[in-house]
Amino acid sequence: QLQASGGGLVQAGGSLRLSCAASGRTLSNYVMAWFRQAPGKEREFVAHISRTGASTNYKDSVNGRFTISRDNAKNTVYLQMNSLKPEDTAVYYCAAGSLFVIWRSEYNYWGQGTLVTVSS
């Protein structure tokens, strides 16, 4: 089970930190990722992080504004989102997989999503 939290309503330029906690699963065994889905759009890759946290990768439009991190001791992954824009409005999902790739089909386990709304 993956449980995402931390979403909410924020003004443009603001910040939020999302968390993804696992139960019954050891997150250090997985590559972890965040995806998002805006209304009427496909679910898209946002960021991912390797098992140790040594490697990260970001969607171009969030690079420099978002930071993915993990605390394997707490079995939790985070997404720090700064300088938020209205176009970042979406449901954000955390996901766990075996490969360090951006394709959602390669992620086997998904959280339930947390809604982020950025007002202009």
Side-chain angles (χ1 to χ4, degrees), residues 19-37:
S19 299
C20 175
S23 59
R25 201 172 296 281
T26 302
L27 287 192
S28 60
N29 292 333
Y30 299 94
V31 172
M32 296 299 299
W34 287 95
F35 287 76
R36 68 185 182 187
Q37 187 166 17

Side-chain angles (χ1 to χ4, degrees), residues 35 96-110:
F35 287 76
S98 299
L99 301 177
F100 194 64
V101 295
I102 68 171
W103 305 298
R104 68 184 190 208
S105 61
E106 296 295 335
Y107 289 86
N108 309 106
Y109 308 104
W110 292 82

Side-chain angles (χ1 to χ4, degrees), residues 34-46 59 87-93 102-105 110:
W34 287 95
F35 287 76
R36 68 185 182 187
Q37 187 166 17
K41 295 189 175 181
E42 295 281 325
R43 192 171 300 187
E44 63 178 6
F45 168 82
V46 175
K59 176 181 173 63
E87 52 263 43
D88 294 319
T89 294
V91 177
Y92 284 70
Y93 299 88
I102 68 171
W103 305 298
R104 68 184 190 208
S105 61
W110 292 82

